[in-house]
Amino acid sequence: MTSFADLGLPRPIVNVLAKQGITQPFPIQEEAIPDALAGRDVLGRGPTGSGKTFTFGLPMLARLAGAPSKPGHPRGLILAPTRELATQIRERLDDLAAALGLRLLDVVGGVNINNHLRSLAAPVDVLVATPGRAEDLISQRKLFFDHVEITALDEADQMADMGFLPQVRKLLDRTPKGGQRLLFSATLDGDVEKLIARYMSDPVTHSTAPVQASVNTMEHYRLLVGDRDARSDVVLHIGAREGKTIMFMRTKHGVDRQVKKLRRAGINAQGLHGDKGQGARTRALEGFGDGTAPVLVATDIAARGIDVDDVSLVVHVDPPAEHKAYLHRAGRTARAGSSGTVVTLVLDEQEKEVQQLMNKAGVSATPVRVTAESDELAKITGAREPSGAPLPPPGQPQQAKRPAAARNGKPSNPAGRPSRRRPRRSSGRG
């Protein structure tokens, strides 16, 4: 079996990986890392969860080790479409970079830019950035790409889908010509092909199984729920299951409304969408990652790049708008060879639309008519009756219970002590 040491990576990197229990590379890592270490431009195609972060991150760190960087002038650049993905990349590579004496920094939207300005005052070897925040810092003349030797683009197809490619091109134009480029994506077509043609030199392509093939490690169901009221009951029972569950909604408003319903039923759910502040997004992902908030309700922003272990169930509460979104949502489970279950809740009027979506996605999903209390729902998802004990909104402490006397309508000051509350002043508006 091939080891990371066999791929030519430095011993400090191999040692840190071993401490993390990572000893054998994924297929795309085994194929692509030697080419990246040799300085080749690399195209990596594969679904999220196939090990792309180490595929571009490890050779980048290895090649940049041993040389100094200047404040505001990184030598390595990683562009990612979302704040969550940028932060996860930085977290995954942090210890490995430190082992080589390198400093990583992530700069993302939603964080006070003054924090980034202070961080850039010290030398940064590798910058992980969302395109918008990188552009902001460049416009303030606090960030420069003139020393960038290696650039990696992660989830390039999502950047195209989100309309970021004009920004990405402007940023890449600021990097020196002839620098090494590493581009990773689930698909390499359309606008991504134009990016490849413009910025990459004789790239070598390495592919894992396409996104469609990854659905084979999942069980797919179309749960026919009837009307919206019945669907709401089904969602609450699914939310009360054991294990980590991601529920997808089409709109930010839908996410917020669903989180309120779940929490009112006693289910510790957190929401994730583009209008959430960075603190709320971080708390949601940390709670979901460590299992204290086992239900994450999200828009499609979370369908790509969020890498949380042990997600055993994905629920399309709202069926996605198109088949690519289905595949990327579904990719939150059954990661790195494990298995998982994906269910789509289908209203009566959605049956034809959802069947067409599944056909385009190349997915065979078993149709099952269910109710909240049905044995079939419990068997497929682990659904069970929620506790019904309401939880406060996310981030707010649970209110202490009032004394029994107060709950019974009796005075809470039985000793007859005078109240210390001041009488309310008249407003004078009589």
PDB file of all heavy atoms in Angstrom, residues 225-262:
ATOM      1  N   VAL A 225     -45.373  12.436   1.018  1.00  0.00           N
ATOM      2  CA  VAL A 225     -45.919  12.891   2.301  1.00  0.00           C
ATOM      3  C   VAL A 225     -47.306  13.514   2.189  1.00  0.00           C
ATOM      4  O   VAL A 225     -47.914  13.839   3.205  1.00  0.00           O
ATOM      5  CB  VAL A 225     -44.961  13.901   2.968  1.00  0.00           C
ATOM      6  CG1 VAL A 225     -43.644  13.232   3.331  1.00  0.00           C
ATOM      7  CG2 VAL A 225     -44.711  15.113   2.075  1.00  0.00           C
ATOM      8  N   GLY A 226     -47.819  13.691   0.971  1.00  0.00           N
ATOM      9  CA  GLY A 226     -49.157  14.273   0.825  1.00  0.00           C
ATOM     10  C   GLY A 226     -49.118  15.780   0.797  1.00  0.00           C
ATOM     11  O   GLY A 226     -48.588  16.385  -0.133  1.00  0.00           O
ATOM     12  N   ASP A 227     -49.648  16.440   1.848  1.00  0.00           N
ATOM     13  CA  ASP A 227     -49.727  17.896   1.845  1.00  0.00           C
ATOM     14  C   ASP A 227     -48.680  18.504   2.785  1.00  0.00           C
ATOM     15  O   ASP A 227     -47.909  17.797   3.444  1.00  0.00           O
ATOM     16  CB  ASP A 227     -51.134  18.356   2.218  1.00  0.00           C
ATOM     17  CG  ASP A 227     -51.550  17.902   3.616  1.00  0.00           C
ATOM     18  OD1 ASP A 227     -50.678  17.557   4.441  1.00  0.00           O
ATOM     19  OD2 ASP A 227     -52.773  17.889   3.889  1.00  0.00           O
ATOM     20  N   ARG A 228     -48.681  19.848   2.878  1.00  0.00           N
ATOM     21  CA  ARG A 228     -47.650  20.552   3.640  1.00  0.00           C
ATOM     22  C   ARG A 228     -47.771  20.317   5.152  1.00  0.00           C
ATOM     23  O   ARG A 228     -46.754  20.239   5.848  1.00  0.00           O
ATOM     24  CB  ARG A 228     -47.698  22.053   3.337  1.00  0.00           C
ATOM     25  CG  ARG A 228     -47.280  22.353   1.912  1.00  0.00           C
ATOM     26  CD  ARG A 228     -47.261  23.835   1.598  1.00  0.00           C
ATOM     27  NE  ARG A 228     -46.930  24.027   0.193  1.00  0.00           N
ATOM     28  CZ  ARG A 228     -45.685  24.049  -0.289  1.00  0.00           C
ATOM     29  NH1 ARG A 228     -44.664  23.913   0.537  1.00  0.00           N
ATOM     30  NH2 ARG A 228     -45.471  24.211  -1.581  1.00  0.00           N
ATOM     31  N   ASP A 229     -48.986  20.217   5.649  1.00  0.00           N
ATOM     32  CA  ASP A 229     -49.150  19.955   7.079  1.00  0.00           C
ATOM     33  C   ASP A 229     -48.567  18.601   7.459  1.00  0.00           C
ATOM     34  O   ASP A 229     -47.873  18.465   8.481  1.00  0.00           O
ATOM     35  CB  ASP A 229     -50.632  20.008   7.462  1.00  0.00           C
ATOM     36  CG  ASP A 229     -51.180  21.434   7.462  1.00  0.00           C
ATOM     37  OD1 ASP A 229     -50.358  22.374   7.514  1.00  0.00           O
ATOM     38  OD2 ASP A 229     -52.412  21.598   7.397  1.00  0.00           O
ATOM     39  N   ALA A 230     -48.846  17.595   6.617  1.00  0.00           N
ATOM     40  CA  ALA A 230     -48.299  16.258   6.882  1.00  0.00           C
ATOM     41  C   ALA A 230     -46.780  16.281   6.788  1.00  0.00           C
ATOM     42  O   ALA A 230     -46.079  15.633   7.576  1.00  0.00           O
ATOM     43  CB  ALA A 230     -48.891  15.249   5.894  1.00  0.00           C
ATOM     44  N   ARG A 231     -46.254  17.059   5.812  1.00  0.00           N
ATOM     45  CA  ARG A 231     -44.795  17.162   5.678  1.00  0.00           C
ATOM     46  C   ARG A 231     -44.182  17.776   6.930  1.00  0.00           C
ATOM     47  O   ARG A 231     -43.113  17.330   7.393  1.00  0.00           O
ATOM     48  CB  ARG A 231     -44.434  18.001   4.452  1.00  0.00           C
ATOM     49  CG  ARG A 231     -42.932  18.063   4.199  1.00  0.00           C
ATOM     50  CD  ARG A 231     -42.579  18.881   2.981  1.00  0.00           C
ATOM     51  NE  ARG A 231     -42.751  20.310   3.214  1.00  0.00           N
ATOM     52  CZ  ARG A 231     -42.409  21.258   2.333  1.00  0.00           C
ATOM     53  NH1 ARG A 231     -41.898  20.908   1.164  1.00  0.00           N
ATOM     54  NH2 ARG A 231     -42.597  22.539   2.620  1.00  0.00           N
ATOM     55  N   SER A 232     -44.819  18.802   7.496  1.00  0.00           N
ATOM     56  CA  SER A 232     -44.289  19.435   8.705  1.00  0.00           C
ATOM     57  C   SER A 232     -44.163  18.435   9.854  1.00  0.00           C
ATOM     58  O   SER A 232     -43.156  18.420  10.574  1.00  0.00           O
ATOM     59  CB  SER A 232     -45.195  20.595   9.144  1.00  0.00           C
ATOM     60  OG  SER A 232     -45.136  21.643   8.212  1.00  0.00           O
ATOM     61  N   ASP A 233     -45.160  17.573  10.010  1.00  0.00           N
ATOM     62  CA  ASP A 233     -45.101  16.556  11.063  1.00  0.00           C
ATOM     63  C   ASP A 233     -43.981  15.556  10.797  1.00  0.00           C
ATOM     64  O   ASP A 233     -43.257  15.138  11.717  1.00  0.00           O
ATOM     65  CB  ASP A 233     -46.439  15.817  11.155  1.00  0.00           C
ATOM     66  CG  ASP A 233     -47.548  16.690  11.734  1.00  0.00           C
ATOM     67  OD1 ASP A 233     -47.229  17.688  12.388  1.00  0.00           O
ATOM     68  OD2 ASP A 233     -48.734  16.354  11.517  1.00  0.00           O
ATOM     69  N   VAL A 234     -43.818  15.172   9.528  1.00  0.00           N
ATOM     70  CA  VAL A 234     -42.754  14.233   9.160  1.00  0.00           C
ATOM     71  C   VAL A 234     -41.389  14.838   9.490  1.00  0.00           C
ATOM     72  O   VAL A 234     -40.499  14.172  10.043  1.00  0.00           O
ATOM     73  CB  VAL A 234     -42.855  13.866   7.662  1.00  0.00           C
ATOM     74  CG1 VAL A 234     -41.569  13.187   7.180  1.00  0.00           C
ATOM     75  CG2 VAL A 234     -44.048  12.951   7.414  1.00  0.00           C
ATOM     76  N   VAL A 235     -41.198  16.129   9.171  1.00  0.00           N
ATOM     77  CA  VAL A 235     -39.913  16.791   9.430  1.00  0.00           C
ATOM     78  C   VAL A 235     -39.582  16.781  10.922  1.00  0.00           C
ATOM     79  O   VAL A 235     -38.442  16.514  11.324  1.00  0.00           O
ATOM     80  CB  VAL A 235     -39.928  18.232   8.882  1.00  0.00           C
ATOM     81  CG1 VAL A 235     -38.681  18.993   9.338  1.00  0.00           C
ATOM     82  CG2 VAL A 235     -39.999  18.224   7.365  1.00  0.00           C
ATOM     83  N   LEU A 236     -40.582  17.056  11.758  1.00  0.00           N
ATOM     84  CA  LEU A 236     -40.332  17.074  13.204  1.00  0.00           C
ATOM     85  C   LEU A 236     -39.930  15.698  13.716  1.00  0.00           C
ATOM     86  O   LEU A 236     -39.027  15.578  14.554  1.00  0.00           O
ATOM     87  CB  LEU A 236     -41.574  17.568  13.941  1.00  0.00           C
ATOM     88  CG  LEU A 236     -41.989  19.022  13.690  1.00  0.00           C
ATOM     89  CD1 LEU A 236     -43.221  19.378  14.507  1.00  0.00           C
ATOM     90  CD2 LEU A 236     -40.847  19.983  14.020  1.00  0.00           C
ATOM     91  N   HIS A 237     -40.567  14.655  13.230  1.00  0.00           N
ATOM     92  CA  HIS A 237     -40.215  13.303  13.676  1.00  0.00           C
ATOM     93  C   HIS A 237     -38.829  12.896  13.168  1.00  0.00           C
ATOM     94  O   HIS A 237     -38.070  12.242  13.898  1.00  0.00           O
ATOM     95  CB  HIS A 237     -41.281  12.289  13.215  1.00  0.00           C
ATOM     96  CG  HIS A 237     -42.497  12.265  14.092  1.00  0.00           C
ATOM     97  ND1 HIS A 237     -43.386  13.308  14.158  1.00  0.00           N
ATOM     98  CD2 HIS A 237     -42.962  11.321  14.965  1.00  0.00           C
ATOM     99  CE1 HIS A 237     -44.355  13.013  15.017  1.00  0.00           C
ATOM    100  NE2 HIS A 237     -44.113  11.821  15.526  1.00  0.00           N
ATOM    101  N   ILE A 238     -38.495  13.286  11.941  1.00  0.00           N
ATOM    102  CA  ILE A 238     -37.140  12.998  11.440  1.00  0.00           C
ATOM    103  C   ILE A 238     -36.113  13.756  12.265  1.00  0.00           C
ATOM    104  O   ILE A 238     -35.053  13.221  12.622  1.00  0.00           O
ATOM    105  CB  ILE A 238     -37.020  13.371   9.947  1.00  0.00           C
ATOM    106  CG1 ILE A 238     -37.861  12.424   9.082  1.00  0.00           C
ATOM    107  CG2 ILE A 238     -35.559  13.307   9.496  1.00  0.00           C
ATOM    108  CD1 ILE A 238     -37.893  12.799   7.606  1.00  0.00           C
ATOM    109  N   GLY A 239     -36.402  15.020  12.595  1.00  0.00           N
ATOM    110  CA  GLY A 239     -35.456  15.825  13.359  1.00  0.00           C
ATOM    111  C   GLY A 239     -35.144  15.250  14.724  1.00  0.00           C
ATOM    112  O   GLY A 239     -34.062  15.486  15.269  1.00  0.00           O
ATOM    113  N   ALA A 240     -36.072  14.474  15.282  1.00  0.00           N
ATOM    114  CA  ALA A 240     -35.874  13.900  16.622  1.00  0.00           C
ATOM    115  C   ALA A 240     -35.046  12.619  16.603  1.00  0.00           C
ATOM    116  O   ALA A 240     -34.795  12.034  17.652  1.00  0.00           O
ATOM    117  CB  ALA A 240     -37.229  13.627  17.263  1.00  0.00           C
ATOM    118  N   ARG A 241     -34.599  12.187  15.427  1.00  0.00           N
ATOM    119  CA  ARG A 241     -33.813  10.945  15.319  1.00  0.00           C
ATOM    120  C   ARG A 241     -32.456  11.101  16.001  1.00  0.00           C
ATOM    121  O   ARG A 241     -32.006  12.199  16.312  1.00  0.00           O
ATOM    122  CB  ARG A 241     -33.604  10.578  13.845  1.00  0.00           C
ATOM    123  CG  ARG A 241     -32.680  11.575  13.124  1.00  0.00           C
ATOM    124  CD  ARG A 241     -32.577  11.319  11.637  1.00  0.00           C
ATOM    125  NE  ARG A 241     -31.823  10.127  11.348  1.00  0.00           N
ATOM    126  CZ  ARG A 241     -30.492  10.098  11.175  1.00  0.00           C
ATOM    127  NH1 ARG A 241     -29.761  11.194  11.287  1.00  0.00           N
ATOM    128  NH2 ARG A 241     -29.882   8.969  10.903  1.00  0.00           N
ATOM    129  N   GLU A 242     -31.781   9.975  16.196  1.00  0.00           N
ATOM    130  CA  GLU A 242     -30.397  10.009  16.673  1.00  0.00           C
ATOM    131  C   GLU A 242     -29.466  10.177  15.480  1.00  0.00           C
ATOM    132  O   GLU A 242     -29.738   9.664  14.402  1.00  0.00           O
ATOM    133  CB  GLU A 242     -30.055   8.717  17.421  1.00  0.00           C
ATOM    134  CG  GLU A 242     -30.747   8.594  18.771  1.00  0.00           C
ATOM    135  CD  GLU A 242     -30.257   7.383  19.547  1.00  0.00           C
ATOM    136  OE1 GLU A 242     -29.331   6.699  19.057  1.00  0.00           O
ATOM    137  OE2 GLU A 242     -30.791   7.114  20.618  1.00  0.00           O
ATOM    138  N   GLY A 243     -28.350  10.873  15.685  1.00  0.00           N
ATOM    139  CA  GLY A 243     -27.376  11.037  14.606  1.00  0.00           C
ATOM    140  C   GLY A 243     -27.471  12.413  13.969  1.00  0.00           C
ATOM    141  O   GLY A 243     -28.406  13.181  14.204  1.00  0.00           O
ATOM    142  N   LYS A 244     -26.463  12.731  13.144  1.00  0.00           N
ATOM    143  CA  LYS A 244     -26.392  14.034  12.494  1.00  0.00           C
ATOM    144  C   LYS A 244     -27.241  14.053  11.223  1.00  0.00           C
ATOM    145  O   LYS A 244     -27.139  13.152  10.383  1.00  0.00           O
ATOM    146  CB  LYS A 244     -24.942  14.379  12.147  1.00  0.00           C
ATOM    147  CG  LYS A 244     -24.056  14.604  13.356  1.00  0.00           C
ATOM    148  CD  LYS A 244     -22.633  14.897  12.938  1.00  0.00           C
ATOM    149  CE  LYS A 244     -21.702  14.942  14.150  1.00  0.00           C
ATOM    150  NZ  LYS A 244     -20.292  15.062  13.751  1.00  0.00           N
ATOM    151  N   THR A 245     -28.055  15.089  11.105  1.00  0.00           N
ATOM    152  CA  THR A 245     -28.985  15.228   9.997  1.00  0.00           C
ATOM    153  C   THR A 245     -28.828  16.612   9.378  1.00  0.00           C
ATOM    154  O   THR A 245     -28.819  17.606  10.091  1.00  0.00           O
ATOM    155  CB  THR A 245     -30.443  15.073  10.481  1.00  0.00           C
ATOM    156  OG1 THR A 245     -30.578  13.850  11.197  1.00  0.00           O
ATOM    157  CG2 THR A 245     -31.420  15.106   9.315  1.00  0.00           C
ATOM    158  N   ILE A 246     -28.704  16.677   8.059  1.00  0.00           N
ATOM    159  CA  ILE A 246     -28.770  17.962   7.354  1.00  0.00           C
ATOM    160  C   ILE A 246     -30.091  18.021   6.611  1.00  0.00           C
ATOM    161  O   ILE A 246     -30.446  17.101   5.869  1.00  0.00           O
ATOM    162  CB  ILE A 246     -27.609  18.149   6.368  1.00  0.00           C
ATOM    163  CG1 ILE A 246     -26.265  18.201   7.107  1.00  0.00           C
ATOM    164  CG2 ILE A 246     -27.797  19.436   5.570  1.00  0.00           C
ATOM    165  CD1 ILE A 246     -25.081  18.520   6.218  1.00  0.00           C
ATOM    166  N   MET A 247     -30.824  19.119   6.822  1.00  0.00           N
ATOM    167  CA  MET A 247     -32.073  19.367   6.103  1.00  0.00           C
ATOM    168  C   MET A 247     -31.859  20.559   5.176  1.00  0.00           C
ATOM    169  O   MET A 247     -31.334  21.587   5.606  1.00  0.00           O
ATOM    170  CB  MET A 247     -33.204  19.666   7.082  1.00  0.00           C
ATOM    171  CG  MET A 247     -33.547  18.521   8.015  1.00  0.00           C
ATOM    172  SD  MET A 247     -34.944  18.961   9.087  1.00  0.00           S
ATOM    173  CE  MET A 247     -35.201  17.379   9.926  1.00  0.00           C
ATOM    174  N   PHE A 248     -32.290  20.438   3.927  1.00  0.00           N
ATOM    175  CA  PHE A 248     -32.114  21.507   2.958  1.00  0.00           C
ATOM    176  C   PHE A 248     -33.435  22.173   2.615  1.00  0.00           C
ATOM    177  O   PHE A 248     -34.446  21.501   2.368  1.00  0.00           O
ATOM    178  CB  PHE A 248     -31.466  20.964   1.679  1.00  0.00           C
ATOM    179  CG  PHE A 248     -29.989  20.741   1.812  1.00  0.00           C
ATOM    180  CD1 PHE A 248     -29.470  19.458   1.921  1.00  0.00           C
ATOM    181  CD2 PHE A 248     -29.110  21.821   1.839  1.00  0.00           C
ATOM    182  CE1 PHE A 248     -28.110  19.253   2.052  1.00  0.00           C
ATOM    183  CE2 PHE A 248     -27.747  21.618   1.980  1.00  0.00           C
ATOM    184  CZ  PHE A 248     -27.242  20.337   2.083  1.00  0.00           C
ATOM    185  N   MET A 249     -33.396  23.504   2.606  1.00  0.00           N
ATOM    186  CA  MET A 249     -34.526  24.334   2.190  1.00  0.00           C
ATOM    187  C   MET A 249     -34.066  25.201   1.021  1.00  0.00           C
ATOM    188  O   MET A 249     -32.881  25.476   0.866  1.00  0.00           O
ATOM    189  CB  MET A 249     -34.993  25.240   3.337  1.00  0.00           C
ATOM    190  CG  MET A 249     -35.153  24.574   4.692  1.00  0.00           C
ATOM    191  SD  MET A 249     -36.468  23.347   4.767  1.00  0.00           S
ATOM    192  CE  MET A 249     -37.917  24.378   4.521  1.00  0.00           C
ATOM    193  N   ARG A 250     -35.017  25.680   0.223  1.00  0.00           N
ATOM    194  CA  ARG A 250     -34.642  26.493  -0.933  1.00  0.00           C
ATOM    195  C   ARG A 250     -34.333  27.942  -0.566  1.00  0.00           C
ATOM    196  O   ARG A 250     -33.576  28.605  -1.260  1.00  0.00           O
ATOM    197  CB  ARG A 250     -35.751  26.484  -1.990  1.00  0.00           C
ATOM    198  CG  ARG A 250     -35.787  25.223  -2.834  1.00  0.00           C
ATOM    199  CD  ARG A 250     -36.639  25.447  -4.064  1.00  0.00           C
ATOM    200  NE  ARG A 250     -36.804  24.212  -4.834  1.00  0.00           N
ATOM    201  CZ  ARG A 250     -37.439  24.141  -5.989  1.00  0.00           C
ATOM    202  NH1 ARG A 250     -37.985  25.229  -6.496  1.00  0.00           N
ATOM    203  NH2 ARG A 250     -37.554  23.000  -6.631  1.00  0.00           N
ATOM    204  N   THR A 251     -34.944  28.459   0.509  1.00  0.00           N
ATOM    205  CA  THR A 251     -34.804  29.882   0.817  1.00  0.00           C
ATOM    206  C   THR A 251     -34.281  30.113   2.231  1.00  0.00           C
ATOM    207  O   THR A 251     -34.428  29.257   3.111  1.00  0.00           O
ATOM    208  CB  THR A 251     -36.157  30.614   0.683  1.00  0.00           C
ATOM    209  OG1 THR A 251     -37.037  30.163   1.714  1.00  0.00           O
ATOM    210  CG2 THR A 251     -36.785  30.375  -0.687  1.00  0.00           C
ATOM    211  N   LYS A 252     -33.694  31.291   2.437  1.00  0.00           N
ATOM    212  CA  LYS A 252     -33.206  31.669   3.764  1.00  0.00           C
ATOM    213  C   LYS A 252     -34.381  31.764   4.752  1.00  0.00           C
ATOM    214  O   LYS A 252     -34.257  31.331   5.897  1.00  0.00           O
ATOM    215  CB  LYS A 252     -32.490  33.019   3.686  1.00  0.00           C
ATOM    216  CG  LYS A 252     -31.284  33.026   2.745  1.00  0.00           C
ATOM    217  CD  LYS A 252     -30.802  34.448   2.490  1.00  0.00           C
ATOM    218  CE  LYS A 252     -29.721  34.464   1.417  1.00  0.00           C
ATOM    219  NZ  LYS A 252     -29.316  35.843   1.063  1.00  0.00           N
ATOM    220  N   HIS A 253     -35.494  32.328   4.283  1.00  0.00           N
ATOM    221  CA  HIS A 253     -36.669  32.436   5.144  1.00  0.00           C
ATOM    222  C   HIS A 253     -37.155  31.043   5.545  1.00  0.00           C
ATOM    223  O   HIS A 253     -37.547  30.811   6.698  1.00  0.00           O
ATOM    224  CB  HIS A 253     -37.775  33.205   4.416  1.00  0.00           C
ATOM    225  CG  HIS A 253     -39.053  33.321   5.186  1.00  0.00           C
ATOM    226  ND1 HIS A 253     -39.141  33.983   6.398  1.00  0.00           N
ATOM    227  CD2 HIS A 253     -40.300  32.840   4.937  1.00  0.00           C
ATOM    228  CE1 HIS A 253     -40.375  33.927   6.842  1.00  0.00           C
ATOM    229  NE2 HIS A 253     -41.107  33.231   5.982  1.00  0.00           N
ATOM    230  N   GLY A 254     -37.118  30.125   4.585  1.00  0.00           N
ATOM    231  CA  GLY A 254     -37.528  28.751   4.887  1.00  0.00           C
ATOM    232  C   GLY A 254     -36.647  28.105   5.935  1.00  0.00           C
ATOM    233  O   GLY A 254     -37.130  27.366   6.798  1.00  0.00           O
ATOM    234  N   VAL A 255     -35.346  28.384   5.885  1.00  0.00           N
ATOM    235  CA  VAL A 255     -34.418  27.857   6.894  1.00  0.00           C
ATOM    236  C   VAL A 255     -34.790  28.382   8.276  1.00  0.00           C
ATOM    237  O   VAL A 255     -34.925  27.619   9.239  1.00  0.00           O
ATOM    238  CB  VAL A 255     -32.960  28.235   6.546  1.00  0.00           C
ATOM    239  CG1 VAL A 255     -32.033  27.970   7.734  1.00  0.00           C
ATOM    240  CG2 VAL A 255     -32.475  27.459   5.330  1.00  0.00           C
ATOM    241  N   ASP A 256     -34.940  29.691   8.384  1.00  0.00           N
ATOM    242  CA  ASP A 256     -35.233  30.291   9.694  1.00  0.00           C
ATOM    243  C   ASP A 256     -36.551  29.762  10.271  1.00  0.00           C
ATOM    244  O   ASP A 256     -36.649  29.465  11.460  1.00  0.00           O
ATOM    245  CB  ASP A 256     -35.293  31.812   9.566  1.00  0.00           C
ATOM    246  CG  ASP A 256     -33.933  32.429   9.271  1.00  0.00           C
ATOM    247  OD1 ASP A 256     -32.914  31.780   9.572  1.00  0.00           O
ATOM    248  OD2 ASP A 256     -33.890  33.550   8.736  1.00  0.00           O
ATOM    249  N   ARG A 257     -37.559  29.648   9.408  1.00  0.00           N
ATOM    250  CA  ARG A 257     -38.868  29.165   9.862  1.00  0.00           C
ATOM    251  C   ARG A 257     -38.788  27.714  10.317  1.00  0.00           C
ATOM    252  O   ARG A 257     -39.367  27.329  11.335  1.00  0.00           O
ATOM    253  CB  ARG A 257     -39.879  29.322   8.717  1.00  0.00           C
ATOM    254  CG  ARG A 257     -41.331  29.128   9.113  1.00  0.00           C
ATOM    255  CD  ARG A 257     -42.230  29.584   7.989  1.00  0.00           C
ATOM    256  NE  ARG A 257     -41.816  28.967   6.723  1.00  0.00           N
ATOM    257  CZ  ARG A 257     -42.161  29.437   5.534  1.00  0.00           C
ATOM    258  NH1 ARG A 257     -42.880  30.527   5.426  1.00  0.00           N
ATOM    259  NH2 ARG A 257     -41.762  28.820   4.444  1.00  0.00           N
ATOM    260  N   GLN A 258     -38.007  26.893   9.572  1.00  0.00           N
ATOM    261  CA  GLN A 258     -37.904  25.481   9.931  1.00  0.00           C
ATOM    262  C   GLN A 258     -37.147  25.297  11.242  1.00  0.00           C
ATOM    263  O   GLN A 258     -37.499  24.450  12.071  1.00  0.00           O
ATOM    264  CB  GLN A 258     -37.207  24.710   8.813  1.00  0.00           C
ATOM    265  CG  GLN A 258     -37.234  23.199   8.979  1.00  0.00           C
ATOM    266  CD  GLN A 258     -38.646  22.666   8.939  1.00  0.00           C
ATOM    267  OE1 GLN A 258     -39.299  22.686   7.919  1.00  0.00           O
ATOM    268  NE2 GLN A 258     -39.138  22.187  10.072  1.00  0.00           N
ATOM    269  N   VAL A 259     -36.097  26.090  11.458  1.00  0.00           N
ATOM    270  CA  VAL A 259     -35.344  26.009  12.719  1.00  0.00           C
ATOM    271  C   VAL A 259     -36.258  26.332  13.899  1.00  0.00           C
ATOM    272  O   VAL A 259     -36.234  25.646  14.932  1.00  0.00           O
ATOM    273  CB  VAL A 259     -34.118  26.948  12.689  1.00  0.00           C
ATOM    274  CG1 VAL A 259     -33.505  27.084  14.081  1.00  0.00           C
ATOM    275  CG2 VAL A 259     -33.070  26.419  11.718  1.00  0.00           C
ATOM    276  N   LYS A 260     -37.096  27.369  13.763  1.00  0.00           N
ATOM    277  CA  LYS A 260     -38.021  27.721  14.841  1.00  0.00           C
ATOM    278  C   LYS A 260     -38.969  26.564  15.148  1.00  0.00           C
ATOM    279  O   LYS A 260     -39.220  26.231  16.318  1.00  0.00           O
ATOM    280  CB  LYS A 260     -38.822  28.963  14.459  1.00  0.00           C
ATOM    281  CG  LYS A 260     -38.034  30.257  14.522  1.00  0.00           C
ATOM    282  CD  LYS A 260     -38.896  31.440  14.106  1.00  0.00           C
ATOM    283  CE  LYS A 260     -38.079  32.727  14.086  1.00  0.00           C
ATOM    284  NZ  LYS A 260     -38.881  33.873  13.582  1.00  0.00           N
ATOM    285  N   LYS A 261     -39.518  25.937  14.109  1.00  0.00           N
ATOM    286  CA  LYS A 261     -40.438  24.814  14.314  1.00  0.00           C
ATOM    287  C   LYS A 261     -39.748  23.662  15.044  1.00  0.00           C
ATOM    288  O   LYS A 261     -40.303  23.070  15.976  1.00  0.00           O
ATOM    289  CB  LYS A 261     -40.967  24.311  12.965  1.00  0.00           C
ATOM    290  CG  LYS A 261     -41.948  25.241  12.274  1.00  0.00           C
ATOM    291  CD  LYS A 261     -42.392  24.605  10.963  1.00  0.00           C
ATOM    292  CE  LYS A 261     -43.334  25.502  10.182  1.00  0.00           C
ATOM    293  NZ  LYS A 261     -43.702  24.894   8.888  1.00  0.00           N
ATOM    294  N   LEU A 262     -38.540  23.338  14.616  1.00  0.00           N
ATOM    295  CA  LEU A 262     -37.818  22.229  15.231  1.00  0.00           C
ATOM    296  C   LEU A 262     -37.500  22.529  16.695  1.00  0.00           C
ATOM    297  O   LEU A 262     -37.669  21.678  17.569  1.00  0.00           O
ATOM    298  CB  LEU A 262     -36.538  21.941  14.443  1.00  0.00           C
ATOM    299  CG  LEU A 262     -36.738  21.304  13.056  1.00  0.00           C
ATOM    300  CD1 LEU A 262     -35.492  21.486  12.202  1.00  0.00           C
ATOM    301  CD2 LEU A 262     -37.069  19.818  13.181  1.00  0.00           C
TER     302      LEU A 262
END
